């Protein structure tokens, strides 16, 4: 038998450090990430992704798009799947839809939805927060923001369930079909607005119709670009806002003293926005975001080659003890600039003003219409990767 030789110039593939989809990780993602942050701050997963756990390392990634690219998908993703210089003109369009005056104008519609949904919750009976409040709130608010009809509420809720199931099972074929279904909803709304524009009245302007008139580089946006923008807004809204509401409701039920204090100060919308940021720092509604290395880079003591997938773990970075002393403690005096809930750098979430408005308004309505929120006998069920928050949270309100 010939002796096997190994070329000294060929490096062996690195060994995986962990499995982010392992049962013990999925049982409590937050606790698992806390452990990994101390043990292995940059870890190669069995699926081939490099997970980054520390706050400083994640902040470095977010602010270095030249090394860590946002172009991670073969599908057009406007603008968050673009790098400079292509990213800038598209991002400038998106930012116009989240200005302070737009948020002020949208607040009454948002409050009406929150008030109606909270009023409909049964008192002194178990309430399943995700199904009875969080999901319908996210759905109806997003439809109102886009100017979409109530007839889309049901289809979008069903679509969200199918998308969630396909994502969890990593069923690529189902995910593609579901994406096409959602794109069909958007294209139908675009066609309706084009038809209305031909009428003498011209129709009522809304965010969807305004996108049809947006230009980049001296030309109108294509339908494909508009669909991508709206998909990004809506898919993120439906999932992340619902997860945020669930986490906030559970936190309030778990902490009656904080609940009582916030109820007494509920008229301060700015305070409640800060409170929602801090609650979601503790329990992230969005677990992670992806990047791809453009060049070999050393980070957290590890060398990551070019072309590798990197996972920015918000759920870990926002609990880093070096930045957030006593990270499990709810504190409103922390530096808000350190909270990476809505990201940082050129790809920071453009919809953050809308999310803060929605969550502060919902907290105002929920705290104002109740005297207590307590956990019900059914134990909460955590969501699993890539989702954050809770699949089920049951409470009793009075």
């Amino acid at each position: 038998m010939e002796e096997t030789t190994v070329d000294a110039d060929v490096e062996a593939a690195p060994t995986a450090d962990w499995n982010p989809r392992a049962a013990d990780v999925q049982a409590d993602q937050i606790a698992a990430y806390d452990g990994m942050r101390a043990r292995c701050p940059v870890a190669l997963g069995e699926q081939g992704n490099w997970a980054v756990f520390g706050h400083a390392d994640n902040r470095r990634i977010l602010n270095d798009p030249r090394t860590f690219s946002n172009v991670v998908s073969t599908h057009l993703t406007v603008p968050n799947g673009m790098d400079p210089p292509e990213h800038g003109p598209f991002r400038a369009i998106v930012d116009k839809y989240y200005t302070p005056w737009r948020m002020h104008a949208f607040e009454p519609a948002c409050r009406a939805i929150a008030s109606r949904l909270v009023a409909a919750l049964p008192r002194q009976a178990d309430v399943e927060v995700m199904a009875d409040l969080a999901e319908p709130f996210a759905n109806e608010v997003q439809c109102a923001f886009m100017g979409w009809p109530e007839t889309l509420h049901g289809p979008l809720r069903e679509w969200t369930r199918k998308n969630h199931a396909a994502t969890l099972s990593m069923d690529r074929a189902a995910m593609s079909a579901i994406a096409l279904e959602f794109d069909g909803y958007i294209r139908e709304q675009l066609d309706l607005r084009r038809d209305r524009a031909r009428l003498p009245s011209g129709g009522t302007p809304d965010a969807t119709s305004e996108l049809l008139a947006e230009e980049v580089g001296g030309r109108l946006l294509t339908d494909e670009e508009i669909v991508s923008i709206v998909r990004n807004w809506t898919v993120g809204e439906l999932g992340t806002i619902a997860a945020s509401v669930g986490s906030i409701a559970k936190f309030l039920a778990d902490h009656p003293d904080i609940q009582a204090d916030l109820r007494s100060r509920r008229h301060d919308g700015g305070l409640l926005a800060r409170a929602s940021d801090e609650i979601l720092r503790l329990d992230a509604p969005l677990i992670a975001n992806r990047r791809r290395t453009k060049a070999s880079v050393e980070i957290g003591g590890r060398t990551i080659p070019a072309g590798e997938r990197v996972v920015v773990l918000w759920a870990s970075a926002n609990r880093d003890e070096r930045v957030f002393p006593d990270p499990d403690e709810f504190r409103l005096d922390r530096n808000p600039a350190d909270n990476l809930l809505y990201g940082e750098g050129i790809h920071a979430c453009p919809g953050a003003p809308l999310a803060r408005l929605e969550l502060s308004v919902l907290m105002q309505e929920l705290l104002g219409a109740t005297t207590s929120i307590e956990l019900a006998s059914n134990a909460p069920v955590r969501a699993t990767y890539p989702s954050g928050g809770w699949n089920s949270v049951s409470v009793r309100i009075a």
Side-chain angles (χ1 to χ4, degrees), residues 102-164:
R102 279 184 178 267
M103 298 303 98
H104 177 75
F106 183 63
E107 180 175 351
C110 179
R111 190 173 299 280
I113 293 168
S115 177
R116 174 170 48 79
L117 291 173
V118 168
L121 298 176
R123 270 51 174 175
Q124 302 299 347
D126 287 4
V127 173
E128 209 302 291
V129 173
M130 300 308 298
D132 296 340
L133 180 61
E135 292 169 4
F137 177 71
N139 183 312
E140 294 187 27
V141 167
Q142 181 62 12
C143 284
F145 182 72
M146 296 303 302
W148 294 350
E150 293 181 3
T151 53
L152 268 181
H153 293 171
L156 283 181
R157 285 197 71 179
E158 181 59 28
W159 179 88
T160 302
R161 292 192 184 97
K162 290 189 293 185
N163 184 55
H164 181 68

Side-chain angles (χ1 to χ4, degrees), residues 3 67 88 95 118 124 149 235 241 263 310 320 324 336 339 371 381 397:
E3 181 178 342
T67 304
D95 284 343
V118 168
Q124 302 299 347
V235 174
I241 291 299
R263 183 175 282 110
V310 175
D320 191 327
F324 304 101
N339 191 336
T371 56
V381 178
I397 61 176

Side-chain angles (χ1 to χ4, degrees), residues 115-359:
S115 177
R116 174 170 48 79
L117 291 173
V118 168
L121 298 176
R123 270 51 174 175
Q124 302 299 347
D126 287 4
V127 173
E128 209 302 291
V129 173
M130 300 308 298
D132 296 340
L133 180 61
E135 292 169 4
F137 177 71
N139 183 312
E140 294 187 27
V141 167
Q142 181 62 12
C143 284
F145 182 72
M146 296 303 302
W148 294 350
E150 293 181 3
T151 53
L152 268 181
H153 293 171
L156 283 181
R157 285 197 71 179
E158 181 59 28
W159 179 88
T160 302
R161 292 192 184 97
K162 290 189 293 185
N163 184 55
H164 181 68
T167 302
L168 287 178
S169 65
M170 297 298 291
D171 186 335
R172 299 295 181 185
M175 290 167 69
S176 295
I178 290 166
L180 285 175
E181 177 186 345
F182 185 79
D183 290 358
Y185 292 136
I186 302 173
R187 291 180 186 276
E188 180 182 12
Q189 293 303 312
L190 296 179
D191 290 341
L192 285 171
R193 279 154 184 79
R194 287 193 178 101
D195 291 341
R196 290 175 189 166
R198 299 186 185 101
L199 299 174
S201 65
T204 302
D206 56 32
T208 306
S209 62
E210 288 179 47
L211 283 168
L212 289 169
E214 295 288 1
E215 294 186 359
V216 63
R219 63 165 177 84
L220 291 172
L221 292 177
T222 66
D223 276 11
E224 185 181 14
E225 289 164 346
I226 295 174
V227 166
S228 179
I229 289 171
V230 176
R231 184 196 310 120
N232 183 43
W233 289 354
T234 306
V235 174
E237 176 82 6
L238 296 178
T240 308
I241 291 299
S244 298
V245 172
S247 289
I248 289 170
K250 182 182 181 298
F251 179 87
L252 293 174
D254 275 336
H255 300 84
D257 53 340
I258 296 174
Q259 178 190 149
D261 179 58
L262 293 178
R263 183 175 282 110
S264 70
R265 297 194 284 170
R266 66 184 182 276
H267 298 296
D268 186 343
L271 172 76
L272 293 187
R274 294 198 304 276
S276 73
D277 279 8
E278 175 68 355
I279 292 169
L280 300 178
R281 179 197 66 78
L282 292 162
D283 192 3
L286 180 64
I287 293 294
N289 197 251
R290 298 180 296 166
R291 298 290 192 274
R292 187 178 292 273
T293 52
K294 291 183 177 180
S296 179
V297 60
E298 183 174 333
I299 188 166
R302 307 292 294 272
T303 298
I304 303 178
E308 293 285 283
R309 299 187 301 271
V310 175
V311 178
V312 176
L313 274 166
W314 320 108
S316 174
N318 270 342
R319 294 173 53 82
D320 191 327
E321 299 84 350
R322 291 164 293 188
V323 179
F324 304 101
D326 300 316
D328 284 312
E329 183 182 352
F330 173 88
R331 284 174 43 186
L332 292 178
D333 63 346
R334 300 188 191 274
N335 182 358
D338 289 332
N339 191 336
L340 301 179
L341 173 65
Y342 295 106
E344 190 172 272
I346 65 170
H347 293 291
C349 177
L354 177 60
R356 289 191 172 105
L357 169 68
E358 292 168 349
L359 296 176

Side-chain angles (χ1 to χ4, degrees), residues 44 63 141 198 394:
L44 178 61
N63 288 289
V141 167
R198 299 186 185 101
S394 293

Side-chain angles (χ1 to χ4, degrees), residues 37 60 93 177 224 264 273 301 317 365 395:
R37 187 171 59 252
R60 173 185 165 190
I93 291 172
E224 185 181 14
S264 70
E365 296 301 317
V395 300

Side-chain angles (χ1 to χ4, degrees), residues 19-150:
N19 179 6
R21 294 185 178 273
D24 60 332
V25 174
Q26 292 307 302
D28 190 338
Q29 293 184 81
I30 302 301
Y33 301 153
D34 286 348
M36 286 297 295
R37 187 171 59 252
R39 185 170 66 254
C40 187
V42 176
L44 178 61
E46 290 185 6
Q47 293 77 24
N49 300 322
W50 292 87
V52 180
F53 295 91
H55 188 277
D57 289 336
N58 276 295
R59 176 169 267 176
R60 173 185 165 190
I61 292 170
L62 298 176
N63 288 289
D64 185 7
R66 290 181 299 177
T67 304
F68 299 94
S69 172
N70 254 53
V71 183
V72 296
S73 173
T74 57
H75 301 290
L76 178 67
T77 309
V78 182
N80 57 313
M82 296 174 166
D83 290 333
E86 182 184 28
H87 167 267
F90 287 97
R91 175 60 189 250
I93 291 172
V94 169
D95 284 343
K96 293 191 299 184
Y97 290 79
Y98 297 99
T99 58
W101 75 263
R102 279 184 178 267
M103 298 303 98
H104 177 75
F106 183 63
E107 180 175 351
C110 179
R111 190 173 299 280
I113 293 168
S115 177
R116 174 170 48 79
L117 291 173
V118 168
L121 298 176
R123 270 51 174 175
Q124 302 299 347
D126 287 4
V127 173
E128 209 302 291
V129 173
M130 300 308 298
D132 296 340
L133 180 61
E135 292 169 4
F137 177 71
N139 183 312
E140 294 187 27
V141 167
Q142 181 62 12
C143 284
F145 182 72
M146 296 303 302
W148 294 350
E150 293 181 3

